Amino acid sequence: MGHPSGRESREAVQSELPPGQRLQKGWPVTHYGPVPKFRPERWEFRVFGATADGDKHCWTHEEFSALPYATVVADLHCVTKFSMLGAEWGGVPATTVLELAPPAPDVTHVMVWAEYGFSSNLRLSDFMSDRTIFATHKDGELLTAEHGFPLRLIVPHLYAWKGPKWVRGVEYMTADRRGFWEERGYHNIGDPWREQRYSYQEEPGDGPEL
Ligand SMILES: Nc1nc2c(c(=O)[nH]1)N[C@H]1C(S)=C(S)[C@@H](COP(=O)(O)O)O[C@H]1N2
Ligand SMILES: [Mo]
């Protein structure tokens, strides 16, 4: 067909972007509120709620850092329409957390909790993806404070607000409940390929009543 090569390569890049997104050069910082100070002696990662054994599971920073390290190459899509492609995220896969602290059989959703009470809800099926990862590193380097150090969640197949920075824990839930942005006008599921940006786009069954 013979497109000029410049145009062809732009189209190749565009085809990797979900609808309505544009490619961002560099890595902007996007969040609500201040950047929390990391205090290692006070930090713990907690899994609580409907666990299989009914107990809370806690890791100190040292213990969590000693869990097996894995990497996932994934894009980041912000609902405000910029995307960053092809980052390598390093850390602890969500599947590892699920193995070490299994949910009760009736768990359907999780709430991921971060500093200052920020939260985001996910279907267990989204959390269970083998590409969902609690990241400590990006492209081989420790995360910076403003990008979520010491720990942030990356859910590659959902908009980036579904991945809290400064994560402190996971609550296993037997019914869905809205997180911080999901209560404030963003879509309960947040699939960028279906452009599920806002809660007014939700269809019956996508989320709890607002
Ligand atoms: N704790 C917390 N995590 C958060 C947010 C936030 O407001 N608070 N914003 C989310 C949004 S909307 C985006 S786009 C990404 C941005 O990550 P970045 O600043 O590392 O690019 O963080 C997500 N994680
Ligand atoms: Mo975002």
Side-chain angles (χ1 to χ4, degrees):
M1 289 283 289
H3 292 295
S5 60
R7 189 170 150 209
E8 233 168 40
S9 60
R10 262 200 308 281
E11 278 170 0
V13 167
Q14 284 292 325
S15 70
E16 298 172 25
L17 286 173
Q21 294 295 110
R22 60 174 185 273
L23 193 60
Q24 172 81 38
K25 293 245 164 63
W27 189 11
V29 172
T30 316
H31 59 263
Y32 176 82
V35 174
K37 199 180 192 96
F38 173 53
R39 294 187 179 83
E41 67 291 348
R42 284 210 220 147
W43 192 95
E44 58 170 12
F45 183 85
R46 297 197 311 150
V47 177
F48 61 103
T51 56
D53 59 10
D55 289 339
K56 219 165 52 181
H57 297 247
C58 295
W59 289 263
T60 63
H61 186 248
E62 203 180 346
E63 289 165 345
F64 199 86
S65 306
L67 295 177
Y69 183 87
T71 58
V72 170
V73 174
D75 309 332
L76 190 135
H77 307 297
C78 176
V79 69
T80 63
K81 301 200 169 174
F82 71 80
S83 290
M84 179 176 78
L85 298 181
E88 186 200 79
W89 305 98
V92 179
T95 51
T96 301
V97 171
L98 285 160
E99 274 162 32
L100 296 173
D106 53 345
V107 168
T108 55
H109 293 79
V110 306
M111 189 72 79
V112 181
W113 288 100
E115 301 285 356
Y116 300 136
F118 183 87
S119 62
S120 185
N121 58 316
L122 296 166
R123 297 177 293 200
L124 182 61
S125 55
D126 291 317
F127 184 68
M128 275 174 60
S129 160
D130 60 7
R131 290 176 37 78
T132 298
I133 185 165
F134 289 95
T136 53
H137 290 70
K138 178 190 164 271
D139 297 323
E141 291 186 11
L142 266 186
L143 292 172
T144 57
E146 61 271 27
H147 286 301
F149 178 82
L151 194 66
R152 74 178 297 166
L153 186 67
I154 295 292
V155 188
H157 63 286
L158 299 179
Y159 283 118
W161 88 79
K162 289 287 188 181
K165 303 194 275 193
W166 315 296
V167 180
R168 291 291 300 275
V170 179
E171 178 185 356
Y172 292 153
M173 307 195 294
T174 55
D176 200 4
R177 219 167 70 220
R178 288 175 189 269
F180 183 87
W181 287 120
E182 294 82 4
E183 270 185 339
R184 290 168 176 77
Y186 287 101
H187 197 285
N188 193 56
I189 310 285
D191 179 347
W193 299 97
R194 302 177 64 188
E195 259 197 290
Q196 294 176 329
R197 297 179 191 273
Y198 308 111
S199 52
Y200 65 73
Q201 299 172 296
E202 287 174 18
E203 288 171 16
D206 281 346
E209 295 280 306
L210 262 168

